Amino acid sequence: MTEHTLTVAGVAVDTRHWIGGRRVASTETFTDVSPIDGGTIGEISRGTAPEAAAAVAAAKAAFPAWAATSRAERARILHAIADGVEKRIEELSIVETTDNGALLRSHRRGVMPRVAHNFRFFADWLLQMEHEDFETRGHTNHVSWDPAGPSVLITPWNAPLMLATWKVAPALAAGNTVVLKPAEWSPLTASLLADIAAEAGLPAGVLNVVQGYGSEIGDALTSHPDVRRISFTGSVPTAQRIAGSAAANLTPLSLELGGKSPLLVFADADLDLAVDLAVEQYDNAGQVCLAATRFLVEESVAEEFTRRFVEKAATLTQGDPRHEATDIGPNIHPRQLEKIDAFVQRALAAGARAVIGGHRNDTQYYAPTLLTDVAQDSEIVQEEVFGPVLTLQTFSTEDEAVRLANDTRFGLAATLATGDPERAERVTAQLVAGTVWVNCFFVRDLQAPFGGSRHSGVGREGGTWSFDFYCDVKNTVTAPNGWKNHG
């Protein structure tokens, strides 16, 4: 081991940046803390403008060769990266659980296999990407997807590697080179990804990983004139700052900014299913952008729904995320815990009632909370908490349910529980959301478009939509009989 290597649960992790195919240290560091116990994991290289410039320069230098690499070869390397992920699922899982506090069992069984799938899906999608030629007055139109250039990808802390590779995989498949900036609260698996990609044969400079604070290295990356795409997942205020930086260079943006999604429960719903869907919103300690945090329940079943919900929630086990029996782990950071508690205490002071929870369980853990007696225009209903805090309101008519569901500045997702397919069709057609689930939750297919409306984001990614973003889509029009002098 070297001074730049941490041992995290027996796994060696390099704390330096990965730039141009080599490790680069910064003179300054920042402290990475585990949310499990608040203990220090280690010191991580803290990049600033020089590291940002070096990473973009490396990506720019590597771009021509990678863009010219055949689709088949790019796909082969992406599959090799997926192979590397699968060989290291246990290591990636324990490191990520230590770093961000999400359940170890979830990482092993779902999250890390999904990381490998991200690479495999976009490798395969790349090989079948085509648009049928079409004719215009005898002229042939041919649509193609040209690599756009160096791409800056800024990713969040709630599902660090899965959400990073959701961006990295299509960007690389498209022929772009990448500078990945992971969240400073969960940087470790991005470093391991750099190792895996290098071992898979990804050329130097095609993937670069830089660590640090958004206000330092992030700003330097998003304002760089050589960056041709920026994809960001995070908060609205940060997205507004990024958009301002990108505006000077007209750099295209894809922004996924969280939400305040509703769960609509109608009286004709299967209440057991509705309760199961409702309790699922505590997944990842409530740190899920898609979570349906606002329960809108028809008045006639609200009391019964609440009773069953409380009974079901009481069966959840909160504690160490490394334990198999744990259902809810810690929140990511003391600052986030303070933010969550402040939301709840302000709501209680304003007249809300805590049916369950409403308090911390420990310095790192917030009790699963359900608040009622909340006004539609209240902060707790309108603003994203990003913790295990849910609200419950009632409605009497379908129109009222739709009105309440749409009455926020967000529009990322919505979930609907009903036994009436005609009602489902009517209501989903009126909901403002990028994704709507009917009698299910969190069913995600990578070929589907993903993104949000209003303040939940700009653009869509997934399947062909990802390539539309990461590429310059070109139409070539060829005249008929234009080859008479050929040969």
Side-chain angles (χ1 to χ4, degrees):
M1 298 298 173
T2 71
E3 63 174 314
H4 299 296
T5 304
L6 298 176
T7 301
V8 182
V11 181
V13 183
D14 201 302
T15 62
R16 295 171 292 180
H17 314 285
W18 178 255
I19 300 174
R22 65 186 184 90
R23 290 291 177 178
V24 176
S26 295
T27 56
E28 300 292 328
T29 64
F30 64 91
T31 303
D32 188 24
V33 174
S34 176
I36 297 174
D37 56 10
T40 297
I41 299 174
E43 297 297 315
I44 311 298
S45 279
R46 177 178 167 179
T48 54
E51 289 85 356
V56 173
K60 182 179 180 181
F63 173 67
W66 183 244
T69 300
S70 70
R71 287 188 177 192
E73 178 62 7
R74 295 204 302 265
R76 184 193 68 78
I77 292 175
L78 291 183
H79 276 293
I81 295 173
D83 292 341
V85 169
E86 289 175 344
K87 290 175 183 175
R88 301 185 69 176
I89 280 179
E90 183 62 25
E91 294 181 7
L92 292 166
S93 297
I94 190 61
V95 169
E96 188 131 297
T97 290
T98 303
D99 206 18
N100 90 322
L103 300 184
L104 180 57
R105 72 170 194 240
S106 296
H107 282 139
R108 286 170 169 160
R109 298 172 190 171
V111 177
M112 294 308 164
R114 175 60 180 266
V115 168
H117 177 63
N118 285 346
F119 285 104
R120 296 201 192 283
F121 173 86
F122 284 106
D124 293 341
W125 198 263
L126 167 67
L127 296 180
Q128 58 93 49
M129 276 278 296
E130 61 179 341
H131 190 293
E132 185 176 349
D133 289 353
F134 57 97
E135 298 295 319
T136 305
R137 298 190 300 277
H139 296 65
T140 300
N141 293 263
H142 176 74
V143 176
S144 57
W145 287 264
D146 294 352
S151 301
V152 166
L153 313 178
I154 302 176
T155 55
W157 45 258
N158 58 320
L161 191 58
M162 194 275 285
L163 292 177
T165 56
W166 159 251
K167 300 176 187 293
V168 170
L172 295 181
N176 291 0
T177 51
V178 166
V179 180
L180 170 63
K181 207 293 276 186
E184 59 267 27
W185 286 352
S186 56
L188 299 182
T189 48
S191 180
L192 294 177
L193 177 64
D195 296 334
I196 291 170
E199 292 164 6
L202 190 70
V206 175
L207 172 65
N208 307 274
V209 179
V210 291
Q211 301 138 167
Y213 297 122
S215 59
E216 296 176 348
I217 195 166
D219 285 350
L221 289 170
T222 56
S223 62
H224 199 293
D226 290 334
V227 171
R228 294 314 313 138
R229 293 292 186 273
I230 299 170
S231 182
F232 168 75
T233 298
S235 71
V236 171
T238 301
Q240 291 169 329
R241 189 168 70 243
I242 290 172
S245 296
N249 302 309
L250 295 179
T251 307
L253 294 165
S254 177
L255 305 173
E256 194 270 279
L257 309 178
K260 194 70 177 177
S261 302
L263 165 61
L264 293 81
V265 180
F266 287 90
D268 57 18
D270 177 336
L271 275 193
D272 286 334
L273 170 63
V275 167
D276 286 344
L277 295 174
V279 173
E280 194 175 347
Q281 308 311 313
Y282 288 133
D283 182 46
N284 202 22
Q287 298 168 144
V288 177
C289 61
L290 292 161
T293 56
R294 294 185 295 131
F295 298 165
L296 305 175
V297 185
E298 193 162 354
E299 287 176 353
S300 61
V301 295
E303 184 176 345
E304 179 65 13
F305 171 88
T306 304
R307 183 187 67 79
R308 296 192 199 184
F309 176 86
V310 170
E311 288 180 356
K312 182 82 172 180
T315 67
L316 298 175
T317 299
Q318 186 170 36
D320 192 321
R322 296 167 294 190
H323 296 166
E324 184 72 15
T326 299
D327 300 303
I328 302 178
N331 291 98
I332 182 73
H333 193 276
R335 290 217 312 265
Q336 184 66 14
L337 201 73
E338 291 286 349
K339 175 185 172 185
I340 294 166
D341 192 49
F343 268 114
V344 172
Q345 299 313 313
R346 288 193 297 269
L348 293 174
R353 179 173 66 90
V355 178
I356 60 173
H359 56 82
R360 304 178 193 218
N361 275 342
D362 201 340
T363 55
Q364 300 295 128
Y365 297 80
Y366 205 84
T369 296
L370 176 65
L371 302 176
T372 60
D373 300 333
V374 292
Q376 178 63 22
D377 62 355
S378 64
E379 177 192 55
I380 199 68
V381 169
Q382 294 293 327
E383 298 299 326
E384 186 177 44
V385 177
F386 222 61
V389 178
L390 311 171
T391 62
L392 189 150
Q393 300 164 268
T394 62
F395 63 85
S396 58
T397 67
E398 188 176 295
D399 288 344
E400 184 184 12
V402 171
R403 178 181 61 78
L404 292 172
N406 288 338
D407 186 21
T408 76
R409 64 193 175 107
F410 296 103
L412 185 58
T415 303
L416 173 64
T418 179
D420 184 345
E422 293 181 354
R423 167 174 278 149
E425 185 175 355
R426 285 195 307 272
V427 172
T428 57
Q430 298 176 74
L431 293 174
V432 179
T435 300
V436 180
W437 287 286
V438 179
N439 295 327
C440 60
F441 177 66
F442 218 56
V443 179
R444 291 278 304 277
D445 191 310
L446 286 178
Q447 66 183 310
F450 179 74
S453 304
R454 298 174 174 168
H455 280 203
S456 284
V458 174
R460 296 292 185 270
E461 295 187 42
T464 301
W465 289 273
S466 285
F467 288 91
D468 287 345
F469 172 68
Y470 287 108
C471 292
D472 290 321
V473 183
K474 178 191 295 179
N475 186 44
T476 301
V477 185
T478 303
N481 305 317
W483 314 113
K484 62 179 62 179
N485 295 324
H486 181 68

